[in-house]
mmCIF file with all atom_site columns, all heavy atoms in Angstrom:
data_model
loop_
_atom_site.group_PDB
_atom_site.id
_atom_site.type_symbol
_atom_site.label_atom_id
_atom_site.label_alt_id
_atom_site.label_comp_id
_atom_site.label_asym_id
_atom_site.label_entity_id
_atom_site.label_seq_id
_atom_site.pdbx_PDB_ins_code
_atom_site.Cartn_x
_atom_site.Cartn_y
_atom_site.Cartn_z
_atom_site.occupancy
_atom_site.B_iso_or_equiv
_atom_site.pdbx_formal_charge
_atom_site.auth_seq_id
_atom_site.auth_comp_id
_atom_site.auth_asym_id
_atom_site.auth_atom_id
_atom_site.pdbx_PDB_model_num
ATOM 1   N N   . TYR A 1 1  ? 0.816  -1.201 0.000  1.00 0.00 ? 231 TYR A N   1
ATOM 2   C CA  . TYR A 1 1  ? 0.000  0.000  0.000  1.00 0.00 ? 231 TYR A CA  1
ATOM 3   C C   . TYR A 1 1  ? 0.859  1.263  0.000  1.00 0.00 ? 231 TYR A C   1
ATOM 4   O O   . TYR A 1 1  ? 1.043  1.901  1.043  1.00 0.00 ? 231 TYR A O   1
ATOM 5   C CB  . TYR A 1 1  ? -0.936 0.011  1.208  1.00 0.00 ? 231 TYR A CB  1
ATOM 6   C CG  . TYR A 1 1  ? -1.947 -1.108 1.207  1.00 0.00 ? 231 TYR A CG  1
ATOM 7   C CD1 . TYR A 1 1  ? -1.913 -2.108 2.176  1.00 0.00 ? 231 TYR A CD1 1
ATOM 8   C CD2 . TYR A 1 1  ? -2.936 -1.164 0.233  1.00 0.00 ? 231 TYR A CD2 1
ATOM 9   C CE1 . TYR A 1 1  ? -2.846 -3.136 2.177  1.00 0.00 ? 231 TYR A CE1 1
ATOM 10  C CE2 . TYR A 1 1  ? -3.868 -2.198 0.219  1.00 0.00 ? 231 TYR A CE2 1
ATOM 11  C CZ  . TYR A 1 1  ? -3.821 -3.174 1.209  1.00 0.00 ? 231 TYR A CZ  1
ATOM 12  O OH  . TYR A 1 1  ? -4.735 -4.193 1.192  1.00 0.00 ? 231 TYR A OH  1
ATOM 13  N N   . PRO A 1 2  ? 1.381  1.649  -1.161 1.00 0.00 ? 232 PRO A N   1
ATOM 14  C CA  . PRO A 1 2  ? 2.153  2.897  -1.207 1.00 0.00 ? 232 PRO A CA  1
ATOM 15  C C   . PRO A 1 2  ? 1.307  4.100  -0.803 1.00 0.00 ? 232 PRO A C   1
ATOM 16  O O   . PRO A 1 2  ? 1.829  5.075  -0.260 1.00 0.00 ? 232 PRO A O   1
ATOM 17  C CB  . PRO A 1 2  ? 2.599  2.990  -2.667 1.00 0.00 ? 232 PRO A CB  1
ATOM 18  C CG  . PRO A 1 2  ? 1.661  2.100  -3.425 1.00 0.00 ? 232 PRO A CG  1
ATOM 19  C CD  . PRO A 1 2  ? 1.317  0.997  -2.479 1.00 0.00 ? 232 PRO A CD  1
ATOM 20  N N   . SER A 1 3  ? 0.003  4.031  -1.054 1.00 0.00 ? 233 SER A N   1
ATOM 21  C CA  . SER A 1 3  ? -0.864 5.148  -0.667 1.00 0.00 ? 233 SER A CA  1
ATOM 22  C C   . SER A 1 3  ? -0.867 5.347  0.843  1.00 0.00 ? 233 SER A C   1
ATOM 23  O O   . SER A 1 3  ? -0.935 6.483  1.331  1.00 0.00 ? 233 SER A O   1
ATOM 24  C CB  . SER A 1 3  ? -2.296 4.902  -1.164 1.00 0.00 ? 233 SER A CB  1
ATOM 25  O OG  . SER A 1 3  ? -2.814 3.688  -0.658 1.00 0.00 ? 233 SER A OG  1
ATOM 26  N N   . SER A 1 4  ? -0.777 4.257  1.614  1.00 0.00 ? 234 SER A N   1
ATOM 27  C CA  . SER A 1 4  ? -0.729 4.384  3.072  1.00 0.00 ? 234 SER A CA  1
ATOM 28  C C   . SER A 1 4  ? 0.546  5.069  3.531  1.00 0.00 ? 234 SER A C   1
ATOM 29  O O   . SER A 1 4  ? 0.550  5.799  4.529  1.00 0.00 ? 234 SER A O   1
ATOM 30  C CB  . SER A 1 4  ? -0.837 3.000  3.724  1.00 0.00 ? 234 SER A CB  1
ATOM 31  O OG  . SER A 1 4  ? -2.153 2.498  3.614  1.00 0.00 ? 234 SER A OG  1
ATOM 32  N N   . VAL A 1 5  ? 1.642  4.826  2.814  1.00 0.00 ? 235 VAL A N   1
ATOM 33  C CA  . VAL A 1 5  ? 2.896  5.511  3.146  1.00 0.00 ? 235 VAL A CA  1
ATOM 34  C C   . VAL A 1 5  ? 2.708  7.017  3.012  1.00 0.00 ? 235 VAL A C   1
ATOM 35  O O   . VAL A 1 5  ? 3.035  7.796  3.918  1.00 0.00 ? 235 VAL A O   1
ATOM 36  C CB  . VAL A 1 5  ? 4.041  5.040  2.226  1.00 0.00 ? 235 VAL A CB  1
ATOM 37  C CG1 . VAL A 1 5  ? 5.332  5.775  2.575  1.00 0.00 ? 235 VAL A CG1 1
ATOM 38  C CG2 . VAL A 1 5  ? 4.239  3.535  2.318  1.00 0.00 ? 235 VAL A CG2 1
ATOM 39  N N   . ILE A 1 6  ? 2.173  7.441  1.888  1.00 0.00 ? 236 ILE A N   1
ATOM 40  C CA  . ILE A 1 6  ? 1.986  8.871  1.629  1.00 0.00 ? 236 ILE A CA  1
ATOM 41  C C   . ILE A 1 6  ? 1.021  9.485  2.628  1.00 0.00 ? 236 ILE A C   1
ATOM 42  O O   . ILE A 1 6  ? 1.278  10.566 3.182  1.00 0.00 ? 236 ILE A O   1
ATOM 43  C CB  . ILE A 1 6  ? 1.485  9.083  0.185  1.00 0.00 ? 236 ILE A CB  1
ATOM 44  C CG1 . ILE A 1 6  ? 2.589  8.699  -0.805 1.00 0.00 ? 236 ILE A CG1 1
ATOM 45  C CG2 . ILE A 1 6  ? 1.042  10.528 -0.038 1.00 0.00 ? 236 ILE A CG2 1
ATOM 46  C CD1 . ILE A 1 6  ? 2.147  8.667  -2.252 1.00 0.00 ? 236 ILE A CD1 1
ATOM 47  N N   . MET A 1 7  ? -0.094 8.797  2.899  1.00 0.00 ? 237 MET A N   1
ATOM 48  C CA  . MET A 1 7  ? -1.114 9.351  3.789  1.00 0.00 ? 237 MET A CA  1
ATOM 49  C C   . MET A 1 7  ? -0.644 9.466  5.229  1.00 0.00 ? 237 MET A C   1
ATOM 50  O O   . MET A 1 7  ? -1.096 10.338 5.971  1.00 0.00 ? 237 MET A O   1
ATOM 51  C CB  . MET A 1 7  ? -2.382 8.492  3.732  1.00 0.00 ? 237 MET A CB  1
ATOM 52  C CG  . MET A 1 7  ? -3.067 8.505  2.388  1.00 0.00 ? 237 MET A CG  1
ATOM 53  S SD  . MET A 1 7  ? -3.754 10.139 1.994  1.00 0.00 ? 237 MET A SD  1
ATOM 54  C CE  . MET A 1 7  ? -4.473 9.822  0.370  1.00 0.00 ? 237 MET A CE  1
ATOM 55  N N   . ASN A 1 8  ? 0.257  8.602  5.656  1.00 0.00 ? 238 ASN A N   1
ATOM 56  C CA  . ASN A 1 8  ? 0.763  8.670  7.028  1.00 0.00 ? 238 ASN A CA  1
ATOM 57  C C   . ASN A 1 8  ? 1.989  9.560  7.156  1.00 0.00 ? 238 ASN A C   1
ATOM 58  O O   . ASN A 1 8  ? 2.130  10.291 8.142  1.00 0.00 ? 238 ASN A O   1
ATOM 59  C CB  . ASN A 1 8  ? 1.089  7.261  7.537  1.00 0.00 ? 238 ASN A CB  1
ATOM 60  C CG  . ASN A 1 8  ? -0.140 6.489  7.952  1.00 0.00 ? 238 ASN A CG  1
ATOM 61  O OD1 . ASN A 1 8  ? -0.577 6.566  9.091  1.00 0.00 ? 238 ASN A OD1 1
ATOM 62  N ND2 . ASN A 1 8  ? -0.717 5.747  7.025  1.00 0.00 ? 238 ASN A ND2 1
ATOM 63  N N   . ALA A 1 9  ? 2.873  9.511  6.164  1.00 0.00 ? 239 ALA A N   1
ATOM 64  C CA  . ALA A 1 9  ? 4.125  10.256 6.283  1.00 0.00 ? 239 ALA A CA  1
ATOM 65  C C   . ALA A 1 9  ? 3.982  11.726 5.920  1.00 0.00 ? 239 ALA A C   1
ATOM 66  O O   . ALA A 1 9  ? 4.610  12.591 6.546  1.00 0.00 ? 239 ALA A O   1
ATOM 67  C CB  . ALA A 1 9  ? 5.200  9.611  5.408  1.00 0.00 ? 239 ALA A CB  1
ATOM 68  N N   . MET A 1 10 ? 3.170  12.040 4.920  1.00 0.00 ? 240 MET A N   1
ATOM 69  C CA  . MET A 1 10 ? 3.118  13.411 4.428  1.00 0.00 ? 240 MET A CA  1
ATOM 70  C C   . MET A 1 10 ? 2.603  14.407 5.469  1.00 0.00 ? 240 MET A C   1
ATOM 71  O O   . MET A 1 10 ? 3.186  15.482 5.642  1.00 0.00 ? 240 MET A O   1
ATOM 72  C CB  . MET A 1 10 ? 2.310  13.493 3.137  1.00 0.00 ? 240 MET A CB  1
ATOM 73  C CG  . MET A 1 10 ? 2.478  14.831 2.412  1.00 0.00 ? 240 MET A CG  1
ATOM 74  S SD  . MET A 1 10 ? 4.220  15.271 2.114  1.00 0.00 ? 240 MET A SD  1
ATOM 75  C CE  . MET A 1 10 ? 4.607  14.198 0.725  1.00 0.00 ? 240 MET A CE  1
ATOM 76  N N   . PRO A 1 11 ? 1.510  14.112 6.193  1.00 0.00 ? 241 PRO A N   1
ATOM 77  C CA  . PRO A 1 11 ? 1.096  15.077 7.215  1.00 0.00 ? 241 PRO A CA  1
ATOM 78  C C   . PRO A 1 11 ? 2.127  15.249 8.319  1.00 0.00 ? 241 PRO A C   1
ATOM 79  O O   . PRO A 1 11 ? 2.258  16.347 8.884  1.00 0.00 ? 241 PRO A O   1
ATOM 80  C CB  . PRO A 1 11 ? -0.217 14.504 7.748  1.00 0.00 ? 241 PRO A CB  1
ATOM 81  C CG  . PRO A 1 11 ? -0.273 13.105 7.289  1.00 0.00 ? 241 PRO A CG  1
ATOM 82  C CD  . PRO A 1 11 ? 0.531  13.029 6.033  1.00 0.00 ? 241 PRO A CD  1
ATOM 83  N N   . ALA A 1 12 ? 2.871  14.189 8.639  1.00 0.00 ? 242 ALA A N   1
ATOM 84  C CA  . ALA A 1 12 ? 3.943  14.318 9.629  1.00 0.00 ? 242 ALA A CA  1
ATOM 85  C C   . ALA A 1 12 ? 5.035  15.240 9.099  1.00 0.00 ? 242 ALA A C   1
ATOM 86  O O   . ALA A 1 12 ? 5.562  16.096 9.821  1.00 0.00 ? 242 ALA A O   1
ATOM 87  C CB  . ALA A 1 12 ? 4.520  12.944 9.961  1.00 0.00 ? 242 ALA A CB  1
ATOM 88  N N   . HIS A 1 13 ? 5.355  15.062 7.832  1.00 0.00 ? 243 HIS A N   1
ATOM 89  C CA  . HIS A 1 13 ? 6.353  15.919 7.193  1.00 0.00 ? 243 HIS A CA  1
ATOM 90  C C   . HIS A 1 13 ? 5.902  17.380 7.192  1.00 0.00 ? 243 HIS A C   1
ATOM 91  O O   . HIS A 1 13 ? 6.672  18.288 7.532  1.00 0.00 ? 243 HIS A O   1
ATOM 92  C CB  . HIS A 1 13 ? 6.579  15.420 5.762  1.00 0.00 ? 243 HIS A CB  1
ATOM 93  C CG  . HIS A 1 13 ? 7.546  16.229 4.961  1.00 0.00 ? 243 HIS A CG  1
ATOM 94  N ND1 . HIS A 1 13 ? 8.910  16.195 5.188  1.00 0.00 ? 243 HIS A ND1 1
ATOM 95  C CD2 . HIS A 1 13 ? 7.360  17.107 3.947  1.00 0.00 ? 243 HIS A CD2 1
ATOM 96  C CE1 . HIS A 1 13 ? 9.504  17.018 4.339  1.00 0.00 ? 243 HIS A CE1 1
ATOM 97  N NE2 . HIS A 1 13 ? 8.578  17.580 3.578  1.00 0.00 ? 243 HIS A NE2 1
ATOM 98  N N   . VAL A 1 14 ? 4.640  17.610 6.844  1.00 0.00 ? 244 VAL A N   1
ATOM 99  C CA  . VAL A 1 14 ? 4.094  18.972 6.824  1.00 0.00 ? 244 VAL A CA  1
ATOM 100 C C   . VAL A 1 14 ? 4.105  19.586 8.222  1.00 0.00 ? 244 VAL A C   1
ATOM 101 O O   . VAL A 1 14 ? 4.387  20.779 8.390  1.00 0.00 ? 244 VAL A O   1
ATOM 102 C CB  . VAL A 1 14 ? 2.662  18.958 6.250  1.00 0.00 ? 244 VAL A CB  1
ATOM 103 C CG1 . VAL A 1 14 ? 1.968  20.306 6.470  1.00 0.00 ? 244 VAL A CG1 1
ATOM 104 C CG2 . VAL A 1 14 ? 2.693  18.618 4.761  1.00 0.00 ? 244 VAL A CG2 1
ATOM 105 N N   . ALA A 1 15 ? 3.828  18.767 9.235  1.00 0.00 ? 245 ALA A N   1
ATOM 106 C CA  . ALA A 1 15 ? 3.791  19.264 10.605 1.00 0.00 ? 245 ALA A CA  1
ATOM 107 C C   . ALA A 1 15 ? 5.156  19.695 11.111 1.00 0.00 ? 245 ALA A C   1
ATOM 108 O O   . ALA A 1 15 ? 5.257  20.449 12.084 1.00 0.00 ? 245 ALA A O   1
ATOM 109 C CB  . ALA A 1 15 ? 3.212  18.193 11.530 1.00 0.00 ? 245 ALA A CB  1
ATOM 110 N N   . GLY A 1 16 ? 6.211  19.214 10.455 1.00 0.00 ? 246 GLY A N   1
ATOM 111 C CA  . GLY A 1 16 ? 7.557  19.572 10.874 1.00 0.00 ? 246 GLY A CA  1
ATOM 112 C C   . GLY A 1 16 ? 8.263  18.505 11.693 1.00 0.00 ? 246 GLY A C   1
ATOM 113 O O   . GLY A 1 16 ? 9.288  18.781 12.335 1.00 0.00 ? 246 GLY A O   1
ATOM 114 N N   . VAL A 1 17 ? 7.729  17.272 11.676 1.00 0.00 ? 247 VAL A N   1
ATOM 115 C CA  . VAL A 1 17 ? 8.382  16.170 12.387 1.00 0.00 ? 247 VAL A CA  1
ATOM 116 C C   . VAL A 1 17 ? 9.762  15.927 11.780 1.00 0.00 ? 247 VAL A C   1
ATOM 117 O O   . VAL A 1 17 ? 9.893  15.795 10.565 1.00 0.00 ? 247 VAL A O   1
ATOM 118 C CB  . VAL A 1 17 ? 7.525  14.898 12.311 1.00 0.00 ? 247 VAL A CB  1
ATOM 119 C CG1 . VAL A 1 17 ? 8.243  13.719 12.957 1.00 0.00 ? 247 VAL A CG1 1
ATOM 120 C CG2 . VAL A 1 17 ? 6.168  15.128 12.968 1.00 0.00 ? 247 VAL A CG2 1
ATOM 121 N N   . LYS A 1 18 ? 10.774 15.884 12.628 1.00 0.00 ? 248 LYS A N   1
ATOM 122 C CA  . LYS A 1 18 ? 12.151 15.771 12.133 1.00 0.00 ? 248 LYS A CA  1
ATOM 123 C C   . LYS A 1 18 ? 12.517 14.363 11.684 1.00 0.00 ? 248 LYS A C   1
ATOM 124 O O   . LYS A 1 18 ? 13.289 14.180 10.746 1.00 0.00 ? 248 LYS A O   1
ATOM 125 C CB  . LYS A 1 18 ? 13.138 16.216 13.228 1.00 0.00 ? 248 LYS A CB  1
ATOM 126 C CG  . LYS A 1 18 ? 12.980 17.675 13.642 1.00 0.00 ? 248 LYS A CG  1
ATOM 127 C CD  . LYS A 1 18 ? 13.214 18.617 12.474 1.00 0.00 ? 248 LYS A CD  1
ATOM 128 C CE  . LYS A 1 18 ? 13.111 20.072 12.905 1.00 0.00 ? 248 LYS A CE  1
ATOM 129 N NZ  . LYS A 1 18 ? 13.197 21.007 11.745 1.00 0.00 ? 248 LYS A NZ  1
ATOM 130 N N   . GLU A 1 19 ? 11.978 13.349 12.378 1.00 0.00 ? 249 GLU A N   1
ATOM 131 C CA  . GLU A 1 19 ? 12.308 11.967 12.029 1.00 0.00 ? 249 GLU A CA  1
ATOM 132 C C   . GLU A 1 19 ? 11.032 11.160 11.820 1.00 0.00 ? 249 GLU A C   1
ATOM 133 O O   . GLU A 1 19 ? 10.177 11.115 12.713 1.00 0.00 ? 249 GLU A O   1
ATOM 134 C CB  . GLU A 1 19 ? 13.135 11.305 13.123 1.00 0.00 ? 249 GLU A CB  1
ATOM 135 C CG  . GLU A 1 19 ? 14.572 11.776 13.215 1.00 0.00 ? 249 GLU A CG  1
ATOM 136 C CD  . GLU A 1 19 ? 15.351 10.950 14.231 1.00 0.00 ? 249 GLU A CD  1
ATOM 137 O OE1 . GLU A 1 19 ? 15.693 9.791  13.906 1.00 0.00 ? 249 GLU A OE1 1
ATOM 138 O OE2 . GLU A 1 19 ? 15.588 11.451 15.335 1.00 0.00 ? 249 GLU A OE2 1
ATOM 139 N N   . ILE A 1 20 ? 10.914 10.548 10.663 1.00 0.00 ? 250 ILE A N   1
ATOM 140 C CA  . ILE A 1 20 ? 9.784  9.673  10.350 1.00 0.00 ? 250 ILE A CA  1
ATOM 141 C C   . ILE A 1 20 ? 10.339 8.282  10.104 1.00 0.00 ? 250 ILE A C   1
ATOM 142 O O   . ILE A 1 20 ? 11.025 8.037  9.103  1.00 0.00 ? 250 ILE A O   1
ATOM 143 C CB  . ILE A 1 20 ? 9.014  10.180 9.119  1.00 0.00 ? 250 ILE A CB  1
ATOM 144 C CG1 . ILE A 1 20 ? 8.542  11.626 9.334  1.00 0.00 ? 250 ILE A CG1 1
ATOM 145 C CG2 . ILE A 1 20 ? 7.822  9.271  8.827  1.00 0.00 ? 250 ILE A CG2 1
ATOM 146 C CD1 . ILE A 1 20 ? 7.927  12.263 8.101  1.00 0.00 ? 250 ILE A CD1 1
ATOM 147 N N   . ILE A 1 21 ? 10.088 7.378  11.041 1.00 0.00 ? 251 ILE A N   1
ATOM 148 C CA  . ILE A 1 21 ? 10.612 6.017  10.966 1.00 0.00 ? 251 ILE A CA  1
ATOM 149 C C   . ILE A 1 21 ? 9.516  5.098  10.462 1.00 0.00 ? 251 ILE A C   1
ATOM 150 O O   . ILE A 1 21 ? 8.429  5.036  11.039 1.00 0.00 ? 251 ILE A O   1
ATOM 151 C CB  . ILE A 1 21 ? 11.093 5.534  12.355 1.00 0.00 ? 251 ILE A CB  1
ATOM 152 C CG1 . ILE A 1 21 ? 12.038 6.557  12.998 1.00 0.00 ? 251 ILE A CG1 1
ATOM 153 C CG2 . ILE A 1 21 ? 11.737 4.159  12.240 1.00 0.00 ? 251 ILE A CG2 1
ATOM 154 C CD1 . ILE A 1 21 ? 13.297 6.813  12.221 1.00 0.00 ? 251 ILE A CD1 1
ATOM 155 N N   . MET A 1 22 ? 9.780  4.388  9.405  1.00 0.00 ? 252 MET A N   1
ATOM 156 C CA  . MET A 1 22 ? 8.790  3.482  8.831  1.00 0.00 ? 252 MET A CA  1
ATOM 157 C C   . MET A 1 22 ? 9.182  2.038  9.085  1.00 0.00 ? 252 MET A C   1
ATOM 158 O O   . MET A 1 22 ? 10.352 1.676  8.976  1.00 0.00 ? 252 MET A O   1
ATOM 159 C CB  . MET A 1 22 ? 8.667  3.723  7.320  1.00 0.00 ? 252 MET A CB  1
ATOM 160 C CG  . MET A 1 22 ? 7.582  2.902  6.634  1.00 0.00 ? 252 MET A CG  1
ATOM 161 S SD  . MET A 1 22 ? 7.415  3.390  4.881  1.00 0.00 ? 252 MET A SD  1
ATOM 162 C CE  . MET A 1 22 ? 8.103  1.966  4.052  1.00 0.00 ? 252 MET A CE  1
ATOM 163 N N   . VAL A 1 23 ? 8.195  1.227  9.450  1.00 0.00 ? 253 VAL A N   1
ATOM 164 C CA  . VAL A 1 23 ? 8.413  -0.222 9.555  1.00 0.00 ? 253 VAL A CA  1
ATOM 165 C C   . VAL A 1 23 ? 7.500  -0.901 8.542  1.00 0.00 ? 253 VAL A C   1
ATOM 166 O O   . VAL A 1 23 ? 6.343  -0.532 8.380  1.00 0.00 ? 253 VAL A O   1
ATOM 167 C CB  . VAL A 1 23 ? 8.137  -0.755 10.977 1.00 0.00 ? 253 VAL A CB  1
ATOM 168 C CG1 . VAL A 1 23 ? 9.160  -0.206 11.951 1.00 0.00 ? 253 VAL A CG1 1
ATOM 169 C CG2 . VAL A 1 23 ? 6.729  -0.411 11.453 1.00 0.00 ? 253 VAL A CG2 1
ATOM 170 N N   . VAL A 1 24 ? 8.034  -1.876 7.841  1.00 0.00 ? 254 VAL A N   1
ATOM 171 C CA  . VAL A 1 24 ? 7.261  -2.604 6.835  1.00 0.00 ? 254 VAL A CA  1
ATOM 172 C C   . VAL A 1 24 ? 7.790  -4.033 6.760  1.00 0.00 ? 254 VAL A C   1
ATOM 173 O O   . VAL A 1 24 ? 8.989  -4.250 6.578  1.00 0.00 ? 254 VAL A O   1
ATOM 174 C CB  . VAL A 1 24 ? 7.344  -1.913 5.453  1.00 0.00 ? 254 VAL A CB  1
ATOM 175 C CG1 . VAL A 1 24 ? 8.786  -1.729 4.994  1.00 0.00 ? 254 VAL A CG1 1
ATOM 176 C CG2 . VAL A 1 24 ? 6.539  -2.680 4.412  1.00 0.00 ? 254 VAL A CG2 1
#
């Protein structure tokens, strides 16, 4: 689900979160 990556990571990025750690 690449769409789930975008939907979860992008708002964090916009908010200014410095580190976004993904597990898959």
Side-chain angles (χ1 to χ4, degrees):
Y231 296 114
S233 58
S234 287
V235 179
I236 292 171
M237 295 293 180
N238 282 272
M240 193 53 77
H243 178 73
V244 169
V247 176
K248 298 299 182 186
E249 287 186 75
I250 304 173
I251 309 299
M252 184 174 109
V253 293
V254 56

